[in-house]
Amino acid sequence: MRKFVRRSAPLAGIVATVVLVAAGCVSDPTSSDDSGGDATSALNVYLYQKPTPNFGPLAQVAGGDYVPSTLIFDSLVAWDADNKLAPRLAEDFSISDDGKTFTFTLREGLEWSDGEPLTSRDILFTFNLVANPAAGASVAPNFAAVEGVDALASGSSEVASGFSAPDDRTFVVTASEPSMGLLSLIGTTLIIPEHVLGDIPVEQVADDGYFSSPTVSSGPYEYVSYETDQYVELTANPHYYEDVSVDTLYLRTLTQDVATAQLGSGEIDLVQISSTDLASVERMENVAVTSAEDPGFTRLAVNVEQPRFQDPRVRQAMLYAIDRQGIVDTVLGGHGTVVNSPFKGEAVADDLNPYPYDPDLARQLLQEAGWDSSRPVTLSYAPGTRDRDTTATIVQENLSAVGIDVRLSPVPPAENLARIQSADPDDFDMTLYGGGNYSDPANVIPIVSCATKQPAGANNGRFCSEELDAVMAEANRLEDESGRTALYQEASRIENEQVSQIWLYETEILWAHNTRFEGFVPGGDLSRSSMWNAAQWRMAD
């Protein structure tokens, strides 16, 4: 993936017209905005989905909630712009040679936004809470390898023996067996305050009003308010471990086309743009464009708990039926790559089936699988991101052409999630979504394993292969790096043949920002790492 920065001439007349139509008006960017904030001191950021709101580590990883959460709450480590785990609340961390003991040393003098000390006791509280299935966290299965977590799950203990806080600045995680990917699975857990939530029963804590309006935070920003369907307002946390330069952030819930138009008019300072808008944005005055590698991918999750989707030939047919390269070439303007597995880099075997565009083969496979073309398939998705909106339409056309009658259902994120989590398999057929960070192959486990099927985890399609689970578990236990890579490559072959989900593409993430906004270093994951260095952002004088 390439990185670039461009500055350009004023908007051409036709682009200016688009700005006026899409945004409704072109305001003076130096005047006060509708939130009451002064645009010269506040930063306006595009938020690609509406919040529920439900902030913090117990919520499902949905962008509208998770982006603000990563600013309000910090974690021991976090993914940086290079998709590497970097220190956050922990200034240092180490992994024992046998892959069983993970030791974190907290920064000295950490405080919550209310001035209370932030210590390893808060980490201990957070991890015990999030790992306990009774709390309802979607990421609870990620902690399965930790010693004593089974006691949490059974209710025989309120704490896991594998979590310990020997002193105020030291936190230790002990796995019951080697788990080389455990750090990437749990190290980014958002930390919440024991002194605020510690007295609430575990089974009730997720319903506490704190998570819709956090009063105390550990991240670079404090929560101020959420104006429904408009913006989340955040203010700099004066007790953060480093100085936060931008006083106020407004995370504005807009469709991507409107956000891009407002970038041109100066009403928005930071937008993740569609590649189809790149040429127009490059002509905008006082706008810089940069890019980041996508650590995740865009996909369709198909509900395999419905009998009609259980035959792998049906899912294989979908891959052959969708012109994925055509989507990359047209919708993404070439700023992307077709993927044939959720695995990344060396973990991907070089002999995977590429599933080239072949509608005739798709029809043949559907016929062999006994597909009932008279029964429609509902494709749900959260609208507002141009690339995905257009992709949904192309998927509908391609699948309908081979006998899969797809009906599009754009719905708000909360409604889409409710469908995915429904106990009735007929409530959810298929969904289009993207994101994730699979730089560490262990991070693939939550989206494909039997133990993480919705509503317990992040496996939206409820796919289950005991063979795949066994190979990934063995890979995660293995200390030898080359042997672990070979096992993950075998896992990629199994997953590629069984088609756990309909992989579409990974994209080059394009960011555009007002040049008065400095210090932005793009992350690829729109929901997890896009705001990774927000404390270093600043506004030019």
Side-chain angles (χ1 to χ4, degrees):
M1 296 289 183
R2 59 200 176 95
K3 291 182 183 267
F4 53 92
V5 176
R6 293 175 179 160
R7 293 174 176 82
S8 50
L11 283 167
I14 186 169
V15 179
T17 302
V18 172
V19 168
L20 287 166
V21 172
C25 64
V26 179
S27 66
D28 179 357
T30 63
S31 66
S32 296
D33 58 28
D34 61 356
S35 65
D38 184 344
T40 60
S41 60
L43 189 66
N44 293 281
V45 178
Y46 163 59
L47 182 59
Y48 72 108
Q49 289 182 355
K50 297 176 182 179
T52 307
N54 188 3
F55 307 118
L58 300 182
Q60 285 278 339
V61 182
D65 292 317
Y66 202 79
V67 170
S69 293
T70 61
L71 294 165
I72 299 167
F73 303 102
D74 217 335
S75 50
L76 291 171
V77 296
W79 297 103
D80 65 13
D82 296 319
N83 295 318
K84 305 291 185 183
L85 286 173
R88 298 289 291 198
L89 295 177
E91 66 179 8
D92 189 24
F93 56 90
S94 63
I95 307 173
S96 62
D97 291 340
D98 63 0
K100 292 180 64 176
T101 304
F102 302 77
T103 303
F104 302 88
T105 302
L106 301 187
R107 298 176 187 272
E108 188 172 1
L110 290 175
E111 293 181 345
W112 291 96
S113 60
D114 62 358
E116 289 292 314
L118 193 166
T119 73
S120 59
R121 292 285 309 174
D122 293 293
I123 317 298
L124 184 66
F125 164 74
T126 300
F127 275 52
N128 274 309
L129 178 65
V130 175
N132 192 331
S138 64
V139 296
N142 294 1
F143 293 79
V146 176
E147 185 181 273
V149 163
D150 53 346
L152 285 176
S154 67
S156 62
S157 176
E158 295 183 355
V159 296
S161 59
F163 299 138
S164 62
D167 60 57
D168 283 352
R169 292 185 57 206
T170 306
F171 181 68
V172 181
V173 177
T174 303
S176 55
E177 60 183 12
S179 181
M180 304 308 295
L182 187 60
L183 177 63
S184 65
L185 287 171
I186 69 174
T188 58
T189 300
L190 302 175
I191 305 304
I192 51 180
E194 182 183 29
H195 69 283
V196 175
L197 300 167
D199 293 333
I200 303 173
V202 171
E203 63 275 6
Q204 298 176 20
V205 68
D207 296 324
D208 192 83
Y210 171 87
F211 293 106
S212 61
S213 181
T215 52
V216 177
S217 57
S218 56
Y221 283 88
E222 295 181 78
Y223 175 84
V224 176
S225 67
Y226 169 48
E227 295 297 325
T228 304
D229 296 340
Q230 296 184 56
Y231 59 83
V232 177
E233 181 182 356
L234 306 177
T235 189
N237 176 3
H239 295 278
Y240 195 56
Y241 62 80
E242 60 180 312
D243 291 337
V244 180
S245 299
V246 177
D247 292 334
T248 305
L249 292 184
Y250 294 102
L251 306 179
R252 299 192 176 273
T253 56
L254 304 165
T255 58
Q256 192 173 42
D257 56 346
V258 171
T260 302
Q262 292 190 359
L263 176 72
S265 64
E267 296 165 276
I268 286 286
D269 297 298
L270 175 64
V271 181
Q272 189 263 309
I273 64 170
S274 167
S275 58
T276 56
D277 291 326
L278 178 59
S280 298
V281 171
E282 288 181 319
R283 292 195 295 271
M284 291 181 179
E285 187 176 29
N286 300 321
V287 169
V289 179
T290 187
S291 68
E293 183 178 350
D294 185 1
F297 64 105
T298 300
R299 73 213 82 166
L300 302 170
V302 180
N303 187 359
V304 297
E305 288 192 348
Q306 291 189 20
R308 59 177 172 163
F309 296 124
Q310 288 175 357
D311 190 326
R313 291 174 296 185
V314 172
R315 304 190 296 275
Q316 292 169 354
M318 291 181 176
L319 284 169
Y320 284 119
I322 300 171
D323 185 5
R324 297 179 295 155
Q325 187 61 53
I327 292 173
V328 169
D329 293 341
T330 57
V331 179
L332 304 183
H335 295 277
T337 306
V338 171
V339 295
N340 296 294
S341 166
F343 293 94
K344 296 274 186 178
E346 294 182 354
V348 180
D350 59 9
D351 56 352
L352 300 186
N353 185 344
Y355 292 97
Y357 180 52
D358 191 338
D360 290 336
L361 181 53
R363 294 186 188 95
Q364 177 185 327
L365 288 169
L366 289 172
Q367 183 177 15
E368 292 174 359
W371 178 258
D372 180 3
S373 61
S374 67
R375 185 179 175 188
V377 174
T378 298
L379 171 56
S380 61
Y381 63 100
T385 304
R386 184 177 296 184
D387 297 347
R388 295 180 193 172
D389 291 348
T390 307
T391 294
T393 301
I394 295 173
V395 166
Q396 179 190 38
E397 294 173 351
N398 287 172
L399 293 183
S400 296
V402 300
I404 302 176
D405 182 12
V406 173
R407 312 287 177 86
L408 298 183
S409 179
V411 294
E415 181 179 340
N416 196 34
L417 179 60
R419 292 184 185 184
I420 293 169
Q421 294 184 321
S422 173
D424 184 351
D426 290 333
D427 286 346
F428 162 57
D429 297 345
M430 183 165 62
T431 189
L432 171 67
Y433 70 108
N437 190 319
Y438 309 110
S439 304
D440 188 318
N443 282 2
V444 174
I445 295 173
I447 64 171
V448 300
S449 78
C450 300
T452 58
K453 293 190 294 184
Q454 285 282 10
N459 183 347
N460 291 338
R462 309 193 185 198
F463 172 83
C464 179
S465 166
E466 293 183 359
E467 178 188 16
L468 179 61
D469 280 2
V471 173
M472 289 194 298
E474 184 181 356
N476 198 33
R477 285 192 297 266
L478 199 62
E479 299 171 43
D480 175 64
E481 185 173 350
S482 61
R484 188 167 63 253
T485 298
L487 283 170
Y488 275 122
Q489 289 177 350
E490 179 58 25
S492 75
R493 294 186 184 95
I494 297 169
E495 193 271 343
N496 173 262
E497 180 181 2
Q498 296 187 10
V499 188
S500 73
Q501 52 215 281
I502 311 304
W503 334 280
L504 296 175
Y505 54 80
E506 61 183 22
T507 183
E508 184 177 9
I509 306 296
L510 300 173
W511 293 93
H513 64 86
N514 192 304
T515 52
R516 73 190 183 104
F517 166 36
E518 299 176 345
F520 174 70
V521 180
D525 182 356
L526 195 56
S527 63
R528 289 178 177 84
S529 62
S530 55
M531 312 295 169
W532 74 276
N533 76 324
Q536 287 86 47
W537 295 353
R538 58 190 178 275
M539 305 296 285
D541 295 333

